Amino acid sequence: MTTVEKISMGIIGIGMATTLLLPGRQTVPVIDAVRKLFSGSLATAMNVPRR
């Protein structure tokens, strides 16, 4: 893994842990937003239309 990948995974991991552990957070919308971010980035890299 490159340094950028490690930093990105760390930020995402901290964000996910914060979402799940702190009270009053909107867990489902945040997880869905992260999923859309990755699928959109992958779709852009593969040059296919997003769903």
Short mmCIF file of all heavy atoms in Angstrom, two decimals:
data_model
loop_
_atom_site.label_atom_id
_atom_site.label_comp_id
_atom_site.label_asym_id
_atom_site.label_seq_id
_atom_site.Cartn_x
_atom_site.Cartn_y
_atom_site.Cartn_z
N MET A 1 0.83 -1.19 0.00
CA MET A 1 0.00 0.00 0.00
C MET A 1 0.87 1.24 0.00
O MET A 1 1.86 1.31 0.71
CB MET A 1 -0.86 0.04 1.27
CG MET A 1 -2.06 -0.82 1.28
SD MET A 1 -2.96 -0.51 2.80
CE MET A 1 -4.57 -0.34 2.15
N THR A 2 0.43 2.20 -0.76
CA THR A 2 1.15 3.47 -0.76
C THR A 2 0.73 4.29 0.46
O THR A 2 -0.24 3.99 1.14
CB THR A 2 0.83 4.27 -2.04
OG1 THR A 2 -0.53 4.64 -2.02
CG2 THR A 2 1.14 3.46 -3.29
N THR A 3 1.46 5.32 0.70
CA THR A 3 1.16 6.21 1.83
C THR A 3 -0.22 6.85 1.68
O THR A 3 -0.96 6.96 2.66
CB THR A 3 2.24 7.30 1.95
OG1 THR A 3 3.51 6.65 2.08
CG2 THR A 3 2.00 8.19 3.14
N VAL A 4 -0.57 7.24 0.48
CA VAL A 4 -1.88 7.86 0.24
C VAL A 4 -3.00 6.87 0.56
O VAL A 4 -4.01 7.24 1.17
CB VAL A 4 -1.98 8.35 -1.23
CG1 VAL A 4 -3.37 8.84 -1.55
CG2 VAL A 4 -0.95 9.41 -1.50
N GLU A 5 -2.83 5.62 0.16
CA GLU A 5 -3.85 4.61 0.45
C GLU A 5 -3.98 4.38 1.95
O GLU A 5 -5.09 4.25 2.47
CB GLU A 5 -3.49 3.28 -0.23
CG GLU A 5 -3.62 3.32 -1.73
CD GLU A 5 -3.09 2.07 -2.41
OE1 GLU A 5 -2.13 1.46 -1.89
OE2 GLU A 5 -3.65 1.70 -3.44
N LYS A 6 -2.87 4.35 2.66
CA LYS A 6 -2.90 4.15 4.10
C LYS A 6 -3.61 5.31 4.80
O LYS A 6 -4.43 5.10 5.70
CB LYS A 6 -1.49 4.00 4.65
CG LYS A 6 -0.84 2.70 4.26
CD LYS A 6 0.58 2.63 4.79
CE LYS A 6 1.28 1.38 4.32
NZ LYS A 6 2.67 1.32 4.78
N ILE A 7 -3.31 6.53 4.38
CA ILE A 7 -3.95 7.71 4.97
C ILE A 7 -5.45 7.70 4.68
O ILE A 7 -6.26 7.95 5.57
CB ILE A 7 -3.28 9.00 4.46
CG1 ILE A 7 -1.86 9.11 5.02
CG2 ILE A 7 -4.11 10.23 4.83
CD1 ILE A 7 -1.05 10.22 4.40
N SER A 8 -5.81 7.38 3.44
CA SER A 8 -7.23 7.34 3.07
C SER A 8 -7.99 6.30 3.88
O SER A 8 -9.08 6.57 4.39
CB SER A 8 -7.38 7.01 1.58
OG SER A 8 -6.78 8.00 0.80
N MET A 9 -7.43 5.13 4.03
CA MET A 9 -8.08 4.08 4.80
C MET A 9 -8.18 4.46 6.28
O MET A 9 -9.16 4.15 6.94
CB MET A 9 -7.35 2.75 4.64
CG MET A 9 -7.47 2.17 3.24
SD MET A 9 -9.17 1.99 2.67
CE MET A 9 -9.76 0.73 3.75
N GLY A 10 -7.18 5.14 6.79
CA GLY A 10 -7.22 5.60 8.18
C GLY A 10 -8.33 6.61 8.41
O GLY A 10 -9.08 6.52 9.39
N ILE A 11 -8.46 7.56 7.50
CA ILE A 11 -9.51 8.57 7.62
C ILE A 11 -10.89 7.93 7.53
O ILE A 11 -11.79 8.23 8.33
CB ILE A 11 -9.35 9.66 6.53
CG1 ILE A 11 -8.09 10.48 6.82
CG2 ILE A 11 -10.58 10.55 6.43
CD1 ILE A 11 -7.70 11.42 5.72
N ILE A 12 -11.06 7.02 6.60
CA ILE A 12 -12.34 6.34 6.45
C ILE A 12 -12.64 5.49 7.68
O ILE A 12 -13.76 5.47 8.19
CB ILE A 12 -12.35 5.48 5.17
CG1 ILE A 12 -12.35 6.42 3.95
CG2 ILE A 12 -13.56 4.55 5.13
CD1 ILE A 12 -12.09 5.73 2.65
N GLY A 13 -11.63 4.79 8.19
CA GLY A 13 -11.81 3.96 9.38
C GLY A 13 -12.21 4.78 10.59
O GLY A 13 -13.12 4.41 11.34
N ILE A 14 -11.55 5.91 10.79
CA ILE A 14 -11.89 6.78 11.92
C ILE A 14 -13.31 7.32 11.75
O ILE A 14 -14.09 7.37 12.71
CB ILE A 14 -10.87 7.92 12.04
CG1 ILE A 14 -9.51 7.36 12.50
CG2 ILE A 14 -11.37 8.99 13.01
CD1 ILE A 14 -8.38 8.36 12.41
N GLY A 15 -13.65 7.71 10.55
CA GLY A 15 -15.01 8.22 10.30
C GLY A 15 -16.07 7.17 10.56
O GLY A 15 -17.11 7.45 11.16
N MET A 16 -15.82 5.95 10.12
CA MET A 16 -16.79 4.87 10.34
C MET A 16 -16.90 4.55 11.83
O MET A 16 -18.01 4.34 12.34
CB MET A 16 -16.38 3.63 9.54
CG MET A 16 -16.44 3.82 8.04
SD MET A 16 -18.08 4.18 7.44
CE MET A 16 -18.83 2.59 7.62
N ALA A 17 -15.79 4.48 12.54
CA ALA A 17 -15.83 4.19 13.97
C ALA A 17 -16.58 5.29 14.72
O ALA A 17 -17.39 5.01 15.61
CB ALA A 17 -14.41 4.04 14.51
N THR A 18 -16.32 6.54 14.35
CA THR A 18 -17.02 7.66 14.99
C THR A 18 -18.52 7.57 14.74
O THR A 18 -19.33 7.78 15.65
CB THR A 18 -16.48 9.00 14.44
OG1 THR A 18 -15.09 9.06 14.69
CG2 THR A 18 -17.18 10.18 15.07
N THR A 19 -18.89 7.24 13.53
CA THR A 19 -20.30 7.13 13.17
C THR A 19 -20.99 6.05 13.99
O THR A 19 -22.12 6.22 14.44
CB THR A 19 -20.44 6.79 11.67
OG1 THR A 19 -19.83 7.83 10.93
CG2 THR A 19 -21.88 6.66 11.27
N LEU A 20 -20.32 4.94 14.19
CA LEU A 20 -20.95 3.81 14.89
C LEU A 20 -20.95 3.99 16.40
O LEU A 20 -21.82 3.48 17.08
CB LEU A 20 -20.23 2.52 14.52
CG LEU A 20 -20.36 2.11 13.05
CD1 LEU A 20 -19.48 0.91 12.75
CD2 LEU A 20 -21.80 1.81 12.70
N LEU A 21 -19.98 4.69 16.95
CA LEU A 21 -19.83 4.75 18.39
C LEU A 21 -20.51 5.94 19.06
O LEU A 21 -20.99 5.82 20.18
CB LEU A 21 -18.34 4.76 18.76
CG LEU A 21 -17.57 3.50 18.36
CD1 LEU A 21 -16.10 3.66 18.67
CD2 LEU A 21 -18.13 2.29 19.09
N LEU A 22 -20.52 7.09 18.43
CA LEU A 22 -21.09 8.27 19.07
C LEU A 22 -22.62 8.26 18.97
O LEU A 22 -23.18 7.91 17.93
CB LEU A 22 -20.55 9.54 18.43
CG LEU A 22 -19.06 9.80 18.67
CD1 LEU A 22 -18.64 11.06 17.93
CD2 LEU A 22 -18.75 9.93 20.13
N PRO A 23 -23.30 8.63 20.03
CA PRO A 23 -24.76 8.64 19.99
C PRO A 23 -25.30 9.79 19.13
O PRO A 23 -24.65 10.82 18.97
CB PRO A 23 -25.15 8.86 21.45
CG PRO A 23 -23.98 9.53 22.07
CD PRO A 23 -22.77 9.04 21.33
N GLY A 24 -26.48 9.57 18.58
CA GLY A 24 -27.13 10.62 17.79
C GLY A 24 -26.60 10.75 16.38
O GLY A 24 -26.92 11.72 15.69
N ARG A 25 -25.81 9.80 15.91
CA ARG A 25 -25.27 9.87 14.54
C ARG A 25 -26.20 9.14 13.57
O ARG A 25 -26.94 8.25 13.94
CB ARG A 25 -23.87 9.23 14.46
CG ARG A 25 -22.86 9.90 15.34
CD ARG A 25 -22.52 11.25 14.82
NE ARG A 25 -21.53 11.88 15.69
CZ ARG A 25 -21.08 13.08 15.51
NH1 ARG A 25 -21.50 13.81 14.54
NH2 ARG A 25 -20.19 13.57 16.34
N GLN A 26 -26.14 9.53 12.33
CA GLN A 26 -26.94 8.90 11.29
C GLN A 26 -26.09 7.85 10.58
O GLN A 26 -25.51 8.09 9.53
CB GLN A 26 -27.45 9.94 10.31
CG GLN A 26 -28.35 10.97 10.96
CD GLN A 26 -28.77 12.04 9.99
OE1 GLN A 26 -28.27 12.11 8.87
NE2 GLN A 26 -29.69 12.88 10.40
N THR A 27 -26.04 6.67 11.16
CA THR A 27 -25.14 5.62 10.66
C THR A 27 -25.46 5.21 9.23
O THR A 27 -24.57 5.16 8.38
CB THR A 27 -25.22 4.40 11.58
OG1 THR A 27 -24.91 4.82 12.90
CG2 THR A 27 -24.24 3.34 11.15
N VAL A 28 -26.70 4.91 8.94
CA VAL A 28 -27.06 4.39 7.62
C VAL A 28 -26.77 5.39 6.50
O VAL A 28 -26.14 5.03 5.50
CB VAL A 28 -28.53 3.92 7.59
CG1 VAL A 28 -28.94 3.50 6.20
CG2 VAL A 28 -28.73 2.79 8.58
N PRO A 29 -27.16 6.66 6.61
CA PRO A 29 -26.83 7.61 5.54
C PRO A 29 -25.32 7.80 5.34
O PRO A 29 -24.86 7.97 4.21
CB PRO A 29 -27.48 8.92 5.98
CG PRO A 29 -28.56 8.52 6.91
CD PRO A 29 -28.06 7.28 7.59
N VAL A 30 -24.56 7.75 6.41
CA VAL A 30 -23.11 7.93 6.28
C VAL A 30 -22.49 6.73 5.57
O VAL A 30 -21.66 6.89 4.68
CB VAL A 30 -22.46 8.15 7.66
CG1 VAL A 30 -20.95 8.13 7.57
CG2 VAL A 30 -22.93 9.46 8.26
N ILE A 31 -22.90 5.53 5.94
CA ILE A 31 -22.38 4.33 5.27
C ILE A 31 -22.76 4.35 3.80
O ILE A 31 -21.94 4.03 2.93
CB ILE A 31 -22.90 3.06 5.97
CG1 ILE A 31 -22.25 2.93 7.34
CG2 ILE A 31 -22.62 1.82 5.13
CD1 ILE A 31 -22.80 1.81 8.19
N ASP A 32 -23.97 4.75 3.48
CA ASP A 32 -24.41 4.83 2.09
C ASP A 32 -23.61 5.88 1.32
O ASP A 32 -23.24 5.66 0.17
CB ASP A 32 -25.90 5.14 2.02
CG ASP A 32 -26.46 4.99 0.63
OD1 ASP A 32 -26.15 3.97 -0.02
OD2 ASP A 32 -27.20 5.90 0.19
N ALA A 33 -23.31 7.00 1.95
CA ALA A 33 -22.52 8.04 1.30
C ALA A 33 -21.11 7.54 1.00
O ALA A 33 -20.56 7.80 -0.09
CB ALA A 33 -22.46 9.28 2.17
N VAL A 34 -20.51 6.81 1.93
CA VAL A 34 -19.17 6.26 1.71
C VAL A 34 -19.21 5.24 0.57
O VAL A 34 -18.34 5.22 -0.30
CB VAL A 34 -18.61 5.63 3.01
CG1 VAL A 34 -17.34 4.86 2.74
CG2 VAL A 34 -18.37 6.70 4.06
N ARG A 35 -20.24 4.40 0.55
CA ARG A 35 -20.38 3.40 -0.51
C ARG A 35 -20.50 4.08 -1.88
O ARG A 35 -19.86 3.69 -2.85
CB ARG A 35 -21.60 2.53 -0.26
CG ARG A 35 -21.77 1.42 -1.30
CD ARG A 35 -23.11 0.72 -1.18
NE ARG A 35 -24.25 1.61 -1.34
CZ ARG A 35 -24.74 2.02 -2.52
NH1 ARG A 35 -24.14 1.67 -3.63
NH2 ARG A 35 -25.77 2.81 -2.57
N LYS A 36 -21.32 5.13 -1.95
CA LYS A 36 -21.49 5.85 -3.21
C LYS A 36 -20.21 6.53 -3.65
O LYS A 36 -19.91 6.60 -4.84
CB LYS A 36 -22.62 6.88 -3.08
CG LYS A 36 -23.99 6.26 -3.07
CD LYS A 36 -25.06 7.32 -2.95
CE LYS A 36 -26.45 6.70 -2.90
NZ LYS A 36 -27.50 7.71 -2.76
N LEU A 37 -19.43 7.03 -2.69
CA LEU A 37 -18.16 7.66 -3.01
C LEU A 37 -17.24 6.67 -3.71
O LEU A 37 -16.67 6.97 -4.76
CB LEU A 37 -17.50 8.21 -1.75
CG LEU A 37 -16.07 8.74 -1.92
CD1 LEU A 37 -16.10 10.04 -2.73
CD2 LEU A 37 -15.42 8.96 -0.58
N PHE A 38 -17.11 5.49 -3.13
CA PHE A 38 -16.21 4.50 -3.72
C PHE A 38 -16.74 3.96 -5.03
O PHE A 38 -15.98 3.80 -5.98
CB PHE A 38 -15.96 3.35 -2.74
CG PHE A 38 -14.99 3.70 -1.66
CD1 PHE A 38 -15.40 3.77 -0.34
CD2 PHE A 38 -13.68 3.99 -1.96
CE1 PHE A 38 -14.51 4.12 0.66
CE2 PHE A 38 -12.78 4.34 -0.97
CZ PHE A 38 -13.20 4.40 0.34
N SER A 39 -18.03 3.68 -5.12
CA SER A 39 -18.57 3.15 -6.36
C SER A 39 -18.51 4.20 -7.47
O SER A 39 -18.25 3.87 -8.63
CB SER A 39 -19.99 2.63 -6.18
OG SER A 39 -20.87 3.67 -5.84
N GLY A 40 -18.73 5.46 -7.13
CA GLY A 40 -18.62 6.53 -8.12
C GLY A 40 -17.20 6.71 -8.62
O GLY A 40 -16.96 6.89 -9.81
N SER A 41 -16.25 6.62 -7.70
CA SER A 41 -14.84 6.74 -8.09
C SER A 41 -14.43 5.58 -8.98
O SER A 41 -13.73 5.75 -9.98
CB SER A 41 -13.95 6.78 -6.85
OG SER A 41 -14.26 7.89 -6.05
N LEU A 42 -14.88 4.38 -8.63
CA LEU A 42 -14.56 3.21 -9.43
C LEU A 42 -15.21 3.30 -10.80
O LEU A 42 -14.58 2.98 -11.81
CB LEU A 42 -15.02 1.94 -8.71
CG LEU A 42 -14.68 0.63 -9.36
CD1 LEU A 42 -13.17 0.49 -9.53
CD2 LEU A 42 -15.22 -0.53 -8.55
N ALA A 43 -16.45 3.76 -10.86
CA ALA A 43 -17.14 3.92 -12.14
C ALA A 43 -16.42 4.94 -13.02
O ALA A 43 -16.28 4.73 -14.23
CB ALA A 43 -18.59 4.35 -11.92
N THR A 44 -15.94 6.01 -12.41
CA THR A 44 -15.19 7.01 -13.18
C THR A 44 -13.89 6.42 -13.71
O THR A 44 -13.53 6.63 -14.86
CB THR A 44 -14.89 8.23 -12.29
OG1 THR A 44 -16.13 8.79 -11.85
CG2 THR A 44 -14.11 9.28 -13.06
N ALA A 45 -13.20 5.67 -12.89
CA ALA A 45 -11.93 5.06 -13.31
C ALA A 45 -12.15 4.05 -14.43
O ALA A 45 -11.31 3.91 -15.33
CB ALA A 45 -11.25 4.39 -12.13
N MET A 46 -13.28 3.34 -14.39
CA MET A 46 -13.57 2.33 -15.40
C MET A 46 -14.29 2.91 -16.61
O MET A 46 -14.53 2.20 -17.59
CB MET A 46 -14.42 1.21 -14.79
CG MET A 46 -13.68 0.41 -13.77
SD MET A 46 -14.65 -0.80 -12.85
CE MET A 46 -15.87 -1.34 -13.95
N ASN A 47 -14.65 4.21 -16.54
CA ASN A 47 -15.34 4.90 -17.63
C ASN A 47 -16.68 4.26 -17.95
O ASN A 47 -17.00 4.02 -19.10
CB ASN A 47 -14.45 4.98 -18.87
CG ASN A 47 -14.94 6.03 -19.83
OD1 ASN A 47 -15.65 6.94 -19.47
ND2 ASN A 47 -14.56 5.89 -21.09
N VAL A 48 -17.46 3.99 -16.91
CA VAL A 48 -18.81 3.47 -17.11
C VAL A 48 -19.79 4.43 -16.44
O VAL A 48 -19.44 5.13 -15.49
CB VAL A 48 -18.99 2.06 -16.49
CG1 VAL A 48 -18.12 1.05 -17.21
CG2 VAL A 48 -18.67 2.05 -15.01
N PRO A 49 -21.04 4.48 -16.93
CA PRO A 49 -22.01 5.39 -16.30
C PRO A 49 -22.36 4.92 -14.89
O PRO A 49 -22.44 3.72 -14.61
CB PRO A 49 -23.22 5.31 -17.22
CG PRO A 49 -23.00 4.17 -18.13
CD PRO A 49 -21.56 3.79 -18.08
N ARG A 50 -22.57 5.90 -14.01
CA ARG A 50 -22.97 5.59 -12.63
C ARG A 50 -24.45 5.26 -12.58
O ARG A 50 -25.24 5.76 -13.35
CB ARG A 50 -22.70 6.77 -11.70
CG ARG A 50 -21.24 6.98 -11.46
CD ARG A 50 -21.09 8.02 -10.41
NE ARG A 50 -20.13 9.00 -10.90
CZ ARG A 50 -19.87 10.12 -10.30
NH1 ARG A 50 -20.51 10.45 -9.21
NH2 ARG A 50 -18.98 10.94 -10.77
N ARG A 51 -24.83 4.43 -11.61
CA ARG A 51 -26.24 4.07 -11.44
C ARG A 51 -26.83 4.86 -10.33
O ARG A 51 -26.30 5.23 -9.42
CB ARG A 51 -26.37 2.60 -11.13
CG ARG A 51 -25.94 1.76 -12.29
CD ARG A 51 -26.11 0.32 -11.98
NE ARG A 51 -25.64 -0.44 -13.13
CZ ARG A 51 -25.83 -1.70 -13.27
NH1 ARG A 51 -26.46 -2.38 -12.36
NH2 ARG A 51 -25.39 -2.32 -14.32
#
